[in-house]
Amino acid sequence: MAQFLDVAKYITEKMGKISAMKLQKLMYYSQAWHMTWDDEELFVEDFQAWANGPVIPELYQKHKGMFKVSSELFPDANANNLLDAERESVDEVLDYYGEKSAQWLSSLTHQEDPWVNARGDCEPGARCNTVITKASMHEYYTGL
């Protein structure tokens, strides 16, 4: 299993400099689709149902205050740590979602059950740290 920072480094090496929000959403879809295709987690960290979509709080702490991020933000990570199946999943996600804007990706997550259900009664734009369970992600994306 990959470490989340290794996946973030891999994505930013492939994509170049991207917005922090886009990185978070690409991480989310990489996790969701890898679990769907391989029945395994890509990394152990959980996403929370933040106002602008799914966020890994530990990744947020790395890029807090930054708009754009690049692979240099992850000097101790190693993209080569990803297994072939993990790399294939991320590559498929990047092929499909990589050209989409951060806002488009955020809006898409707002239409999908895992984020919507985790938000529950949280008001739009309000802080929410409810975990988006991996089970809800797996169930939803497997059903598509």
Side-chain angles (χ1 to χ4, degrees):
M1 179 185 316
Q3 300 295 312
F4 82 101
L5 290 177
D6 296 335
V7 176
K9 183 158 190 142
Y10 182 76
I11 289 172
T12 52
E13 283 179 353
K14 297 277 290 192
M15 298 292 298
K17 194 174 258 195
I18 58 174
S19 73
M21 185 163 94
K22 184 169 182 170
L23 175 60
Q24 289 278 0
K25 303 317 168 256
L26 292 173
M27 293 282 291
Y28 175 76
Y29 284 115
S30 293
Q31 176 76 294
W33 287 110
H34 184 71
M35 287 190 302
T36 298
W37 296 326
D38 288 48
D39 281 327
E40 292 182 356
E41 299 173 353
L42 183 56
F43 46 83
V44 299
E45 287 71 21
D46 287 316
F47 289 87
Q48 293 180 357
W50 288 22
N52 287 323
V55 170
I56 300 170
E58 298 88 344
L59 180 57
Y60 176 78
Q61 289 306 313
K62 292 286 286 180
H63 65 65
K64 185 177 180 178
M66 304 171 116
F67 175 66
K68 294 276 190 175
V69 296
S70 69
S71 62
E72 286 130 28
L73 183 61
F74 314 106
D76 298 329
N78 185 348
N80 293 323
N81 288 339
L82 275 72
L83 302 175
D84 288 343
E86 295 167 341
R87 193 174 292 106
E88 287 172 19
S89 292
V90 176
D91 286 343
E92 287 293 323
V93 166
L94 297 181
D95 284 347
Y96 185 80
Y97 297 100
E99 295 304 313
K100 310 292 189 205
S101 72
Q103 190 56 54
W104 189 92
L105 294 169
S106 177
S107 294
L108 182 61
T109 65
H110 290 204
Q111 300 168 35
E112 298 174 331
D113 287 350
W115 181 86
V116 170
N117 293 339
R119 287 290 293 180
D121 295 332
C122 291
E123 294 292 323
R127 289 184 149 254
C128 179
N129 61 359
T130 304
V131 168
I132 301 170
T133 67
K134 291 182 182 84
S136 72
M137 293 167 67
H138 185 266
E139 181 180 340
Y140 178 78
Y141 293 100
T142 300
L144 293 182

